[in-house]
Amino acid sequence: MAANRSSFTGKIGFVLAAAGSAVGLGNIWRFPYLAAKYGGGIFLLIYLILALTFGFTLMVAETAIGRKTGLSAIGAFKSLDKRFSFMGYIVALVPAIILPYYSVIGGWVMKYLFGFVSGNASGMAGDGYFNSYIGSTVEPIGWFFLFIGLTALVVLLGVEKGIEKVSKIMMPVLVVLIIVISGYTIFTMDGAVDGVLYLITPDFSHFSVMTVVAALGQLFYSMSLAMGIMITFGSYMKKDISITKSAVQVGVFDSGVAFLAALMVIPAVFAFSGGDPNALQQGPGLMFVTLPKIFNTMPGGNIIGVVFFIMVFFAAITSSISLMETVVSIFHDKFKLNRKLCCLIVLGISLLLGIPSSLGYSAWGSFKILGMQILDFFDFASNNLLMPLIALVTSIFVGFVIKPKMIIEEVEITGEFKVKKFFSFIIKYVAPVFIVLILISSILNAFGVITI
Ligand code: TRP
């Protein structure tokens, strides 16, 4: 089967595709607000430790499973062990939950892009602009429709390759822009340096179990782990490419972009609010609140705002395309329906799930699930519940069912797996125990049994 599968071309094909899927709103929008909320330096430190241990291990395991079986997640688990067929369904749920609310945020990005294009930079920089915008009922839903509609159009027309090419060219420009914007903030604005210090100095008094829960969820989300994506990518990977090297490259690139984005957003919070704890707790709106303020003080800020939001738009839409693509192909394989029809069904479901996420900030603002706004709840359910659960089952599956040896052999096709002992130890013992603890505390916390 593996022989019939189309594969990534060239050495860099896998890394580019995996990095393309990895870098998105998770890095630019989600990482900075979580880092701000969960204690800055301590969040960063925990994130790094988790990336080097769990991130690396899971990335290698998933890629190797995909390459070995030549199948995507649903088929891969089933073909290795029938008892684990159920995993295919859980894995499929994650992108289906993420896509709608991801597109709501995509809509916010489009709104800001449009705002800069139409010359409303100073309006958007005003205090309270963002909250009153998402507090309006109709407009954010309109932008959400537009964003997910465009996503569906690309998937329907099958032109994602073209979009991906554009995005690959834009990605380096986006990284340069992020560096320029953070450099500008840090070097010219009073108080910004305190933000840098907040981000890089671990303050253990800010530590809580929720810091670890949030960092782990972010790691999975940002690197597109624990949702079957890397298994699918692995199935396209050629046998002569090193799995470990690729995993390291994707991980370093993804974390690098996330760190730079935090360096752009967090110092700005300090510059504009003096490090007010309430401003740091802003949550999902953080990037949209601080960036227009920076652009408003920057020479040429209008233009930079336009260029910046175009790039973010491309980073976001390539991710949403690949999310929708994943859900559509699962539907297609499972129900054997026409692909276009599947695409329309997925679009319909996403619209239904996305509208409440958007209304959660306006008309349905008082409706809370476990004390969370609707968008936050979807985010929590996928990143802090389902993904850790999938990671847990995956590590038990690799550690005790198919055995680490199978993964190690797949990795060693291209040469010695230098850290194989470390790999086996993490996947067999550390990951299961640790993730169970994390899951339990995350659930207890959500139900308000304990506050940690
Ligand atoms: N990793 C992406 C980001 O950081 C988001 C994402 C999650 C994703 N799952 C995905 C992208 C699946 C593509 C495919 O924004």
Side-chain angles (χ1 to χ4, degrees):
M1 189 156 256
N4 298 329
R5 223 169 155 85
S6 65
S7 26
F8 291 123
T9 45
K11 264 212 155 58
I12 200 78
F14 172 82
V15 174
L16 275 184
S21 143
V23 175
L25 291 174
N27 308 65
I28 304 159
W29 155 75
R30 202 171 186 274
F31 185 87
Y33 91 68
L34 287 179
K37 187 169 169 181
Y38 290 104
I42 188 75
F43 180 85
L44 192 64
L45 178 69
I46 291 172
Y47 185 86
L48 278 181
I49 295 173
L50 294 177
L52 290 172
T53 50
F54 295 89
F56 172 76
T57 309
L58 258 182
M59 177 95 77
V60 167
E62 290 194 18
T63 317
I65 289 177
R67 190 168 78 177
K68 174 147 188 78
T69 57
L71 297 168
S72 60
I74 294 208
F77 279 103
K78 199 169 167 186
S79 84
L80 290 172
D81 191 312
K82 280 236 160 1
R83 288 171 300 169
F84 282 78
S85 313
F86 74 93
M87 275 295 275
Y89 300 98
I90 307 185
V91 163
L93 263 180
V94 176
I97 296 177
I98 294 180
L99 176 64
Y101 83 79
Y102 200 86
S103 304
V104 171
I105 317 290
W108 297 353
V109 170
M110 288 184 83
K111 159 78 183 173
Y112 274 67
L113 170 57
F114 179 76
F116 277 101
V117 170
S118 59
N120 184 25
S122 55
M124 291 187 296
D127 281 334
Y129 179 88
F130 178 76
N131 285 330
S132 79
Y133 166 66
I134 56 168
S136 59
T137 304
V138 180
E139 199 188 335
I141 294 185
W143 288 108
F144 154 62
F145 275 28
L146 197 59
F147 185 88
I148 199 158
L150 283 173
T151 305
L153 200 65
V154 174
V155 175
L156 269 174
L157 296 177
V159 290
E160 49 269 48
K161 286 283 164 306
I163 307 282
E164 261 162 39
K165 277 210 186 96
V166 180
S167 138
K168 257 167 222 161
I169 303 167
M170 289 193 161
M171 205 72 93
V173 185
L174 175 66
V175 174
V176 172
L177 259 183
I178 294 179
I179 297 175
V180 170
I181 296 165
S182 50
Y184 172 83
T185 315
I186 295 164
F187 292 112
T188 66
M189 287 184 185
D190 283 345
V193 174
D194 292 333
V196 178
L197 292 177
Y198 176 75
L199 179 63
I200 59 173
T201 352
D203 175 348
F204 289 88
S205 69
H206 286 149
F207 178 85
S208 78
V209 180
M210 280 320 278
T211 317
V212 188
V213 175
L216 192 70
Q218 172 62 15
L219 177 73
F220 295 152
Y221 183 92
S222 186
M223 302 211 184
S224 313
L225 294 170
M227 56 177 101
I229 302 283
M230 282 301 146
I231 300 188
T232 308
F233 277 0
S235 73
Y236 296 127
M237 190 189 211
K238 288 198 173 142
K239 293 279 184 191
D240 59 350
I241 308 282
S242 161
I243 292 181
T244 41
K245 262 197 208 132
S246 308
V248 170
Q249 283 165 356
V250 174
V252 168
F253 185 69
D254 187 73
S255 314
V257 177
F259 177 69
L260 288 174
L263 213 48
M264 166 178 79
V265 172
I266 295 180
V269 184
F270 277 74
F272 290 110
S273 76
D276 170 12
N278 285 329
L280 287 168
Q281 296 297 317
Q282 250 276 340
L286 194 63
M287 166 182 123
F288 297 92
V289 172
T290 58
L291 285 183
K293 288 186 193 286
I294 312 178
F295 294 144
N296 199 35
T297 69
M298 262 177 129
N302 270 344
I303 314 260
I304 297 183
V306 172
V307 179
F308 181 82
F309 277 103
I310 290 180
M311 311 275 153
V312 176
F313 169 72
F314 270 93
I317 197 139
T318 44
S319 288
S320 66
I321 290 167
S322 117
L323 282 162
M324 186 178 270
E325 192 62 66
T326 312
V327 188
V328 167
S329 51
I330 291 167
F331 255 76
H332 180 67
D333 289 349
K334 185 72 205 155
F335 302 109
K336 308 272 177 272
L337 292 171
N338 166 306
R339 240 189 78 91
K340 291 216 157 60
L341 185 61
C342 293
C343 185
L344 292 175
I345 296 175
V346 172
L347 175 65
I349 297 176
S350 305
L351 288 177
L352 286 180
L353 289 177
I355 292 172
S357 301
S358 185
L359 287 179
Y361 292 101
S362 53
W364 294 0
S366 53
F367 180 75
K368 297 255 160 65
I369 311 173
L370 300 175
M372 284 175 249
Q373 239 137 3
I374 302 169
L375 189 148
D376 278 340
F377 174 75
F378 282 129
D379 190 77
F380 172 83
S382 53
N383 302 307
N384 296 352
L385 294 180
L386 280 175
M387 284 148 104
L389 185 70
I390 294 167
L392 171 67
V393 180
T394 308
S395 39
I396 294 173
F397 181 71
V398 172
F400 300 96
V401 180
I402 61 169
K403 304 277 157 65
K405 197 162 161 274
M406 186 189 268
I407 304 290
I408 293 167
E409 278 169 10
E410 185 64 32
V411 169
E412 292 200 325
I413 293 177
T414 52
E416 198 198 341
F417 187 2
K418 295 210 182 68
V419 289
K420 54 179 170 245
K421 291 228 168 70
F422 171 79
F423 172 84
S424 307
F425 182 67
I426 299 269
I427 205 123
K428 279 177 96 156
Y429 307 112
V430 185
V433 174
F434 181 81
I435 297 174
V436 165
L437 291 178
I438 283 293
L439 263 173
I440 294 175
S441 38
S442 164
I443 293 168
L444 292 181
N445 191 63
F447 283 95
V449 181
I450 44 167
T451 10
I452 34 173

